[in-house]
Amino acid sequence: MAPAEFRQLLSATPRGARLARRLAGVQLAAWGIPHGCGLADDVELVVGELAANAVLHGRVPGRDFEVRLGYDGLRVRVEVSDARGDRLPSEAVVDPWSAEGGRGLVLVRALAREWGVAPRERGGPGKTVWACL
């Protein structure tokens, strides 16, 4: 199978983050990864968490964030790029009983075979947070 790629710019708003997750599910189905299977659910969750982080922590007014998916028949690579290269992700220590947030990267780490952050290569300044599933 030839590697497949999907790219989309989205507004750095909560609505843009929700749309990123939905678009990921539609694209996975187009690649033959059906909605509701374990891989599709995991990819959608990772996209949702990384997109939410891009909106919450990486937003620069007037700048979009970008979602890229790649699929080579064996694995899916998720990349979410935002305009804030100065705000790198970190896994916060979270009290599971009282914290209202802070679990996003914990989930990404649990679901991904590997993940990381790199300077944004395309489309301007910022960073790209990526995960392979």
Side-chain angles (χ1 to χ4, degrees):
M1 171 182 190
E5 185 175 280
F6 169 80
R7 292 179 63 185
Q8 183 67 52
L9 285 174
L10 296 159
S11 65
T13 62
R15 185 175 185 179
R18 287 190 305 271
L19 184 56
R21 183 176 178 151
R22 304 254 340 211
L23 289 172
V26 170
Q27 186 58 54
L28 293 172
W31 288 338
I33 303 170
H35 178 72
C37 78
L39 178 58
D41 288 347
D42 290 351
V43 169
E44 287 181 43
L45 181 57
V46 167
V47 168
E49 293 298 335
L50 295 182
N53 283 349
V55 168
L56 184 62
H57 304 294
R59 182 175 183 275
V60 171
R63 297 291 307 264
D64 295 333
F65 73 97
E66 182 180 34
V67 174
R68 286 190 303 272
L69 301 176
Y71 179 55
D72 64 5
L74 298 174
R75 65 185 180 167
V76 176
R77 181 175 171 96
V78 174
E79 296 181 6
V80 177
S81 300
D82 64 51
R84 293 287 306 264
D86 60 323
R87 299 212 46 198
L88 300 178
S90 66
E91 292 183 55
V93 176
V94 177
D95 176 358
W97 302 107
S98 63
E100 293 183 17
R103 295 182 183 85
L105 289 178
V106 173
L107 291 171
V108 171
R109 185 182 64 187
L111 296 173
R113 290 189 179 259
E114 58 183 336
W115 76 277
V117 62
R120 190 173 189 172
E121 292 181 15
R122 300 177 258 188
K127 67 182 170 299
T128 298
V129 182
W130 57 269
C132 291
L133 293 92

